[in-house]
Amino acid sequence: MLEQSSRDLLLVTAQLIEAACYARDGDSHGTRAHIARAVALLDGPPGPRDTRQTSDGGPRQIPRGGFAAWQSRRLAAHVDANLSGKIVIRDLAVSLDVSVGHFCRAFKRTFGMPARIWIRHRRIELAQGLMLTTGASLSEIALSCGMSDQSHFTRSFRRIVGETPSSWRQTRHGAIEERVTELTYSGTTKPIVIEKA
């Protein structure tokens, strides 16, 4: 359980740092989207909309043919707990005692995308959190996120995020270090560079 909550925090951290980078670039739409994703991750795994009242007072809609809330939570928890290994759609369908065809249709109606793509997005979100919070190499991160190798990781990452993991990590670390320097030395006009002996 502790490992699961630390993974969730990594995902939230990645979304908030991404929001800060969009805000720095002046993209308010991208900033809002990443903050909304971080809030959604903090609220819990995505589930189907139902007719009960939401926290903002408005009714939610049940997607016709989608999963029940408990099924969505079970699936999201199972996927998040097994991101480092192989996740087979057939096994997910069996866990809910439904056919593979019904599972695929209900999953897409509930989560808004096919299961394999949603799982890939979750793996990339976990990788983003690990890239920002650890010094692990990209190949180690790729393996810990269930990718077969660094090449597979790079292709998937570029397809979803729009840039390579290496450049994404460098720009985020550069932005974080730059912001820390600004906060630490706010009275100076230039960042202070300390040379190593």
Side-chain angles (χ1 to χ4, degrees), residues 147-162:
M147 302 290 183
S148 57
D149 57 18
Q150 186 175 345
S151 174
H152 177 220
F153 172 58
T154 300
R155 283 191 312 272
S156 296
F157 194 94
R158 184 181 301 194
R159 188 178 303 133
I160 291 170
V161 178

Side-chain angles (χ1 to χ4, degrees), residues 51-193:
T51 55
R52 293 177 294 202
Q53 295 291 321
T54 61
S55 59
D56 62 359
R60 292 190 280 181
Q61 304 282 327
I62 294 177
R64 187 177 181 113
F67 290 126
W70 68 269
Q71 290 172 316
S72 298
R73 284 190 300 273
R74 179 185 287 180
L75 284 172
H78 177 76
V79 167
D80 287 346
N82 295 298
L83 283 175
S84 61
K86 186 174 182 178
I87 301 172
V88 180
I89 303 297
R90 184 181 315 120
D91 295 342
L92 295 174
V94 167
S95 73
L96 297 178
D97 196 28
V98 297
S99 71
V100 173
H102 175 74
F103 175 85
C104 291
R105 283 187 302 275
F107 193 97
K108 188 169 183 176
R109 287 182 183 235
T110 303
F111 291 90
M113 62 184 73
R116 63 182 177 77
I117 293 173
W118 186 80
I119 291 168
R120 188 179 306 141
H121 279 261
R122 297 296 286 173
R123 288 177 196 243
I124 296 302
E125 289 172 357
L126 175 61
Q128 287 174 321
L130 291 171
M131 285 191 291
L132 293 173
T133 58
T134 68
S137 69
L138 292 178
S139 60
E140 291 171 331
I141 291 172
L143 294 175
S144 68
C145 293
M147 302 290 183
S148 57
D149 57 18
Q150 186 175 345
S151 174
H152 177 220
F153 172 58
T154 300
R155 283 191 312 272
S156 296
F157 194 94
R158 184 181 301 194
R159 188 178 303 133
I160 291 170
V161 178
E163 59 184 307
T164 64
S166 176
S167 65
W168 185 90
R169 187 182 213 180
Q170 287 173 352
T171 58
R172 296 327 176 263
H173 274 296
I176 292 169
E177 291 171 2
E178 184 179 296
R179 184 68 183 142
V180 168
T181 303
E182 287 175 13
L183 293 174
T184 306
Y185 304 106
S186 58
T188 62
T189 56
K190 295 182 182 177
I192 297 174
V193 178

